[in-house]
Structure formats: C-alpha cells, structure tokens
Amino acid sequence: MTLIFLNRSCSFDGSRNAVRFSVYDGMFEVRFLIETNALRTVSQGARSEDECLRAFDIAGEAILDAATHAYGRGGKDRHTLTAQDIHR
C-alpha cells in the first residue's frame, strides 16, 4: 500500500495539541494527527501554531513515512502519530 499527499494542507488543533492532515490510499482518505511533541523532535522551535505548521512542511517525507508505517499496522481511517513514530 502506498499513501500519498494529494494536497499538503494541514491544520493546527489546539485542543488536541496536534496537527491534523490527510493522506490517501487509492480512493480512501486516511486522517492523521501528529502530536506537537513529535514535531518538536523534528524542529526544536516548534511551539506555536505557525512553528508547528512550518515543522510539518519541513518534515513532510518523514511524516509520510511514519504515517505509512502506522497505517500498515492496522488499516484504520484515523491515526495519531507520536514522537516515537517519527523516530522508530
């Protein structure tokens, strides 16, 4: 299975302290949250909403790799990525 970003849009979710994004497995949308702590490991300055969104853009390939790995463990349509997922 190959996951792809059809568009690289994401949004900050302050209530979950995470960034939301979607990827696609063929025709199916798979939704993810990546915790801000995971983004901080990619960019030490990722604290504010803008910094987290910028860190997401910078780490797109690593995030997609982690998302693919998480999705491969169980094909749910919603996943949460943590710092452990990014540094596996």
Side-chain angles (χ1 to χ4, degrees):
M1 127 249 18
T2 301
L3 296 180
I4 59 169
F5 283 120
L6 284 182
N7 68 38
R8 281 253 166 127
S9 66
C10 61
S11 61
F12 186 76
D13 184 337
S15 66
R16 301 283 307 267
N17 206 22
V19 172
R20 294 182 178 279
F21 67 99
S22 295
V23 296
Y24 294 84
D25 177 8
M27 296 184 339
F28 302 104
E29 180 181 23
V30 184
R31 290 164 284 186
F32 284 87
L33 285 173
I34 182 166
E35 296 176 346
T36 56
N37 285 336
L39 293 170
R40 283 188 191 111
T41 62
V42 173
S43 170
Q44 294 304 320
R47 305 222 186 288
S48 71
E49 177 177 345
D50 287 340
E51 291 167 335
C52 286
L53 295 176
R54 195 170 20 259
F56 179 89
D57 289 338
I58 291 167
E61 292 300 318
I63 292 169
L64 184 58
D65 182 54
T68 300
H69 188 265
Y71 183 67
R73 290 191 310 249
K76 303 181 290 184
D77 69 342
R78 291 178 190 253
H79 298 272
T80 299
L81 300 177
T82 65
Q84 185 177 9
D85 293 313
I86 298 295
H87 292 291
R88 57 174 175 79

